[in-house]
Amino acid sequence: MTTSPQTGLAQRALVLAETGRHKQAAALFARHLAGDPTDTMSWSLLAHCRRELGDPEGALDATDQGLRHDPTDAYVWRMRALTLQTLERHQDAVDAAAEAVRLAPGGWATHNTYARTLAAVPGGLPAAGAAAARAAALAPQEPQAHFWVGYIAHQAGDHEAAARAYRTVLNLNPQDAAARNNLGVLKLRGGRQFGAAQDFAASLAADPQSSAAHQNVLTVAVRVLVTARRLALWCLFGAAAVRWYIDGPGRTGPLSSLALPAWASALPPWTTGLAAIVIIWTLWAWSTRRRLPGALRMPMWAMLVRDVCFATSGFGIIVALGVAFAILAPPHLPRLSLALMVMGGIVPLAMAPTRPRRNSSTQGQRRAGARR
């Protein structure tokens, strides 16, 4: 028969486990269990602490001890399933989770654990989705139940269902960092990089240690940098085209019939070209800054300054724009010089390394809580 640690060492250990102080909690649970080895809940919580501390073998041993005293405790079977999943013994994890469901068919957490383990086996996503939906139906106010509905739908490629589930999680718990990050991933894959950046910033505000959110911020930075490089390249080609038009013999080339507005005809063509470049970059920089979350602006600037890939790409952009201005500035430029300058502007952009486009990172390995 399972007992609940309500007093003494076990109660103190439970408080420590719930506040994330797993090392101290594990030590107190071990002391408590030395005097009361039949307390299966404490064996389960010891397993939880050991798994959080990166000792899955020790966690599995704790679940063995708990099942030796009460093989009908569904909570111990849940902890065992999650521990086996950590050890990548996925089929054993599914079997343990199925036993937990058999013992406690009305508990949302057992169905949730079953869904998590099924999602890790080949071909298990359909059954995992059904189990996750059952857990959410049993606990409609539980954010983690909806999170796993979204995560499994996400892995299955049903992005609309995943987004709905993540939004449900955020309605129930606006500070859920994993749901916020994963919703941002969906936006990023849909080409909405600035909307995604808002979600990644919110995820980092809730969980500054989130490696997935940090990686996704890097992905957004790479996309912004790629856009800037393309814009610099188009400015370079545009400047070359304007120069070619200016230096046409008597403007008798293919563009001689181009009708310009009166105000533009009154200005030197190179002045118009320079003004266009300045306006284009000013608008792009203003738009990018306005759409990026304030919390991400400084980290992205730090990447540009400190990261070799970003710094060299930034240098290539500056060189390309400098060449574009140089192409437009003199009153006349020989065709050979024009060609050499265009090549000189392209080379730094082409040779500047950039980080590979990694797949955006979802968060799914959320731990089971300390309580049942």
Side-chain angles (χ1 to χ4, degrees):
M1 184 71 177
T2 301
T3 59
S4 180
Q6 298 296 322
T7 58
L9 292 173
Q11 184 61 24
R12 288 162 53 196
L14 179 60
V15 173
L16 290 170
E18 289 179 330
T19 56
R21 299 164 66 182
H22 298 107
K23 186 174 182 179
Q24 298 95 318
L28 288 182
F29 278 128
R31 288 173 55 190
H32 166 73
L33 288 164
D36 183 9
T38 64
D39 185 353
T40 56
M41 183 177 179
S42 288
W43 282 116
S44 301
L45 295 171
L46 177 60
H48 165 74
C49 292
R50 286 177 175 175
R51 192 165 62 91
E52 290 290 334
L53 292 168
D55 180 17
E57 295 289 353
L60 191 62
D61 179 69
T63 63
D64 287 338
Q65 295 294 330
L67 292 174
R68 182 175 298 125
H69 293 287
D70 185 0
T72 65
D73 191 311
Y75 188 46
V76 183
W77 282 105
R78 280 184 56 222
M79 290 297 106
R80 184 174 182 81
L82 294 172
T83 302
L84 288 166
Q85 187 174 31
T86 302
L87 291 168
E88 298 186 355
R89 293 169 55 183
H90 296 302
Q91 189 55 55
D92 290 339
V94 169
D95 294 340
E99 181 63 13
V101 170
R102 188 186 70 81
L103 292 169
W108 76 268
T110 57
H111 291 277
N112 182 263
T113 301
Y114 189 41
R116 294 171 64 173
T117 57
L118 282 169
V121 300
L125 286 176
R134 174 63 176 161
L138 289 169
Q141 299 302 312
E142 177 55 51
Q144 186 164 313
H146 294 283
F147 175 87
W148 282 96
V149 171
Y151 181 80
I152 292 167
H154 197 157
Q155 299 305 306
D158 189 349
H159 293 170
E160 290 186 7
R164 285 196 301 271
Y166 292 146
R167 291 191 185 99
T168 300
V169 174
L170 294 170
N171 287 336
L172 294 170
N173 178 18
Q175 299 303 311
D176 193 299
R180 183 70 69 181
N181 174 79
N182 292 2
L183 188 60
V185 169
L186 291 174
K187 293 178 182 178
L188 191 62
R189 291 178 179 173
R192 299 162 57 194
Q193 63 191 32
F194 293 107
Q198 298 283 349
D199 286 319
F200 299 145
S203 178
L204 286 172
D207 180 10
Q209 304 305 314
S210 171
S211 59
H214 280 288
Q215 180 178 322
N216 292 332
V217 169
L218 179 61
T219 301
V220 171
V222 168
R223 293 196 179 189
V224 171
L225 185 64
V226 167
T227 301
R229 290 174 65 165
R230 288 175 179 169
L231 189 58
L233 191 62
W234 280 110
C235 286
L236 180 62
F237 287 150
V242 170
R243 170 53 62 184
W244 180 75
Y245 172 69
I246 293 172
D247 292 340
R251 293 187 182 177
T252 59
L255 299 180
S256 59
S257 61
L258 181 65
L260 296 176
W263 63 268
S265 300
L267 296 172
W270 63 268
T271 304
T272 305
L274 290 176
I277 292 175
V278 171
I279 291 171
I280 288 170
W281 275 89
T282 300
L283 289 175
W284 180 82
W286 172 80
S287 174
T288 300
R289 185 181 185 280
R290 182 177 64 86
R291 295 163 71 186
L292 274 177
L296 296 187
R297 292 173 193 162
M298 287 305 296
M300 285 191 176
W301 177 252
M303 290 177 192
L304 181 62
V305 174
R306 299 175 187 172
D307 189 282
V308 173
C309 293
F310 284 97
T312 52
S313 291
F315 175 75
I317 291 169
I318 292 171
V319 169
L321 291 177
V323 172
F325 278 96
I327 287 173
L328 292 171
H332 178 72
L333 190 65
R335 295 294 175 87
L336 179 60
S337 298
L338 174 61
L340 291 175
M341 291 181 75
V342 171
M343 291 301 298
I346 292 175
V347 168
L349 279 178
M351 295 186 65
T354 188
R355 292 182 177 272
R357 291 195 179 193
R358 301 176 180 174
N359 291 329
S360 43
S361 180
T362 55
Q363 287 179 257
Q365 300 306 313
R366 288 156 57 115
R367 304 298 191 188
R371 288 192 183 276
R372 282 183 182 271

